[in-house]
Every structure is written in structure tokens, then in C-alpha cells.
């Protein structure tokens, strides 16, 4: 299989270490990974702000960049979900049939469902609390949504169990929103901050040293709360844990 690594613009600009860890992790599993140059935004910010038509050019560019790959894999549940769920409709209006939506995966989803990883070289001797982002839970099915009466599952938890020395926890309100929500954090900052504070406190109640998850955007929001309030907990993308020691 030929994999095109999709690194969202905000990860490239703010958390490049997550992109590096993603590449190292996939390569360590013997996978054929390539990073297409000249990647840009997938168009999610414009669409979420009500200017979906302005994201068509970006969606078309992404189609061209990843056209030759069997899979598109990225370390951002929200961006992956946007491509999977929204690009088909956006591109249909532009007279183009979306191909990426059929082959794009969040990296945790890809490792769990496609590669079916059974062991990792990673070691992370710390207590971590899993953050389930809204897009990851309800659009990519990385874990079971609490509002549905179905058996519990968590693909993030399954992957973390493969890491040596780690202690895994989950907050009481296991999939409650952290309050980021992209444009929501800008348009409703007061509500967004309160939700972030509540979520961080819920994670801290587990006794964890780190909050981890599949979305750097959610982790970024909670990190802002942590730093402003001088709280004794850190954030780390799950890929950095899975790639620890590589």
C-alpha cells in the first residue's frame, strides 16, 4: 500500500513534532509513506465560518496532491473528518468527484482498523488521560459515543495499551466537548473557555500527568487553559506517545 501523509496546516505551523512523529511511526511499521510537498489547508476553517465556496480550490488541490496514493493518513481527526464528510459535497458543486473521501483515515483509525497493529516499540512511563474529540467520536468512530446504548470501545485506548510503562485513564464525562469547536471558540469565547476549564478539571481528577488525544486542536485549546491557570498537567498528541523512542 502507498500512503500519502496529510499534515494539516495548523499542525505544520504550531505542532510540527506531531507531523514528524506520524512519519516516524508509520515508517517504523514498514509502511510505504510519502509526504507530498506544498500541502495547504483542507478548507475546514472557511467552511465552518460560512464560506464553504471558498474551500473548493483547496479541496481540488488536495485531490491532485493525493491522487496517486492508496491511502491518505493524517494526525487530526477533525481535518480528516472534514475531508471525508464535506469534500464530496463541496467538489460536486465544482463538477468534480471526490476520491480522497474514500481513502482518508485518521492515523489512529488507520493503525487500528487497516494495519491492525499488535505491538509497538514505544515506552511512555506516565499516567495519561484520554481525550475523545467530538469529530473523532461521532464522525470517525474512534470510540463509542456515550449517548448511544452500544458496547464500549476506544481505538485510542487499544493502541495505548501497546505502549510499555503507560497508565491509562479516562475522565468521568468521557466524550464531553472541550469547547474548542474551531470557529465556536472565536465566536463564543466565554462559553468555550468555561467548557475547556471543566474538561481539564475532569481530566485532572483522574490523577493523570498528561491529557492525550487524536486532535491537536482540542489539545491546543486545553493547553491554553492549563497555561493560563497554571495547572499541573500537560498535553501530548497520542502519536507522540505511540512513536516515543523512535
Amino acid at each position: 500500500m502507498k500512503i500519502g501523509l496529510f499534515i494539516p496546516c495548523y499542525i505544520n505551523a504550531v505542532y510540527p513534532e506531531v507531523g514528524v512523529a506520524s512519519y516516524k511511526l508509520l515508517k517504523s511499521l514498514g509502511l510505504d509513506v510519502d509526504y507530498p510537498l506544498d500541502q495547504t489547508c483542507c478548507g475546514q476553517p472557511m467552511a465552518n465560518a460560512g464560506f464553504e465556496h471558498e474551500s473548493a480550490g483547496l479541496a481540488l488541490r488536495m485531490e491532485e496532491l493525493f491522487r496517486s496514493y492508496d491511502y491518505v493518513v493524517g494526525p487530526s481527526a477533525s481535518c480528516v473528518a472534514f475531508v471525508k464528510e464535506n469534500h464530496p459535497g463541496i467538489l460536486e458543486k465544482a463538477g468534480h468527484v471526490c476520491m480522497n473521501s474514500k481513502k482518508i483515515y485518521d492515523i489512529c483509525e488507520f493503525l487500528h482498523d487497516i494495519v491492525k497493529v499488535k505491538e509497538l516499540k514505544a515506552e511512555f512511563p506516565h499516567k495519561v488521560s484520554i481525550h475523545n474529540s467530538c469529530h473523532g467520536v461521532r464522525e470517525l468512530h474512534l470510540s463509542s459515543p456515550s449517548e448511544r446504548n452500544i458496547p464500549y470501545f476506544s481505538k485510542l485506548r487499544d493502541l495505548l495499551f501497546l505502549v510499555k510503562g503507560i497508565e491509562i485513564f479516562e475522565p468521568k464525562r468521557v466524550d464531553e466537548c472541550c469547547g474548542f469547536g474551531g470557529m465556536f471558540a472565536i465566536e463564543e469565547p466565554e462559553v468555550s473557555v468555561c467548557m475547556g476549564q471543566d474538561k481539564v478539571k475532569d481530566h485532572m481528577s483522574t490523577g493523570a500527568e498528561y491529557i492525550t488525544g487524536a486532535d491537536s486542536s482540542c489539545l491546543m485549546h486545553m493547553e491554553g487553559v492549563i497555561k493560563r491557570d497554571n495547572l499541573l498537567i500537560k498535553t501530548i498528541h497520542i502519536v507522540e506517545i505511540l512513536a516515543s523512542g523512535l
Side-chain angles (χ1 to χ4, degrees), residues 86-104:
N86 296 81
H87 272 204
I90 292 170
L91 290 172
E92 183 180 11
K93 295 174 185 175
H96 180 87
V97 176
C98 181
M99 301 304 295
N100 282 336
S101 64
K102 300 179 180 67
K103 59 184 181 181
I104 193 167

Side-chain angles (χ1 to χ4, degrees), residues 113-157:
D113 295 352
I114 305 301
V115 181
K116 301 184 187 298
V117 175
K118 298 302 180 185
E119 61 178 325
L120 291 170
K121 300 175 182 178
E123 185 171 353
F124 194 74
H126 300 282
K127 298 177 179 179
V128 303
S129 181
I130 300 174
H131 179 71
N132 295 304
S133 62
C134 300
H135 289 88
V137 174
R138 295 175 178 84
E139 292 191 323
L140 300 182
H141 313 295
L142 295 181
S143 65
S144 51
S146 57
E147 69 272 10
R148 295 185 61 196
N149 186 26
I150 60 175
Y152 171 81
F153 69 87
S154 170
K155 297 175 185 179
L156 273 62
R157 189 182 180 96

Side-chain angles (χ1 to χ4, degrees), residues 25 42 79-80 96 123 125 127 165 180 211 231 233-234 237:
L25 178 58
C42 66
C79 297
V80 167
H96 180 87
E123 185 171 353
K127 298 177 179 179
F180 178 63
I211 302 171
L231 301 175
I233 196 167
K234 302 174 184 177
H237 195 287

Side-chain angles (χ1 to χ4, degrees), residues 7-19 216 220 223 227:
I7 301 299
C9 51
Y10 75 99
I11 289 181
N12 182 60
V14 185
Y15 299 106
E17 64 274 11
V18 174
S216 286
M220 176 176 64
E223 185 181 9
K227 288 183 175 179

Side-chain angles (χ1 to χ4, degrees), residues 9-211:
C9 51
Y10 75 99
I11 289 181
N12 182 60
V14 185
Y15 299 106
E17 64 274 11
V18 174
V20 172
S22 299
Y23 183 81
K24 286 182 176 180
L25 178 58
L26 292 170
K27 290 292 287 185
S28 74
L29 296 170
L31 300 171
D32 183 7
V33 188
D34 184 34
Y35 175 69
L37 299 177
D38 300 323
Q39 294 187 39
T40 58
C41 179
C42 66
Q44 183 178 189
M46 291 80 88
N48 286 351
F51 299 94
E52 187 179 88
H53 61 284
E54 295 188 6
S55 63
L58 296 171
L60 282 167
R61 176 162 180 73
M62 189 169 175
E63 283 282 299
E64 180 61 28
L65 277 174
F66 290 94
R67 180 165 50 90
S68 63
Y69 298 99
D70 300 312
Y71 293 96
V72 181
V73 177
S76 172
S78 63
C79 297
V80 167
F82 181 76
V83 174
K84 182 182 286 289
E85 300 294 331
N86 296 81
H87 272 204
I90 292 170
L91 290 172
E92 183 180 11
K93 295 174 185 175
H96 180 87
V97 176
C98 181
M99 301 304 295
N100 282 336
S101 64
K102 300 179 180 67
K103 59 184 181 181
I104 193 167
Y105 289 84
D106 171 78
I107 190 168
C108 292
E109 177 188 22
F110 183 72
L111 295 176
H112 189 279
D113 295 352
I114 305 301
V115 181
K116 301 184 187 298
V117 175
K118 298 302 180 185
E119 61 178 325
L120 291 170
K121 300 175 182 178
E123 185 171 353
F124 194 74
H126 300 282
K127 298 177 179 179
V128 303
S129 181
I130 300 174
H131 179 71
N132 295 304
S133 62
C134 300
H135 289 88
V137 174
R138 295 175 178 84
E139 292 191 323
L140 300 182
H141 313 295
L142 295 181
S143 65
S144 51
S146 57
E147 69 272 10
R148 295 185 61 196
N149 186 26
I150 60 175
Y152 171 81
F153 69 87
S154 170
K155 297 175 185 179
L156 273 62
R157 189 182 180 96
D158 289 346
L159 291 173
L160 288 171
F161 271 133
L162 302 176
V163 178
K164 297 181 182 66
I166 197 168
E167 292 185 62
I168 306 166
F169 301 88
E170 291 180 275
K172 297 181 183 71
R173 300 185 296 278
V174 68
D175 56 8
E176 182 179 78
C177 180
C178 70
F180 178 63
M183 292 301 298
F184 175 77
I186 297 172
E187 296 168 348
E188 299 287 349
E190 295 84 3
V191 178
S192 175
V193 169
C194 285
M195 292 175 70
Q197 289 173 327
D198 287 347
K199 191 65 186 183
V200 170
K201 288 177 183 176
D202 200 10
H203 281 297
M204 290 183 69
S205 71
T206 67
E209 303 165 69
Y210 290 89
I211 302 171

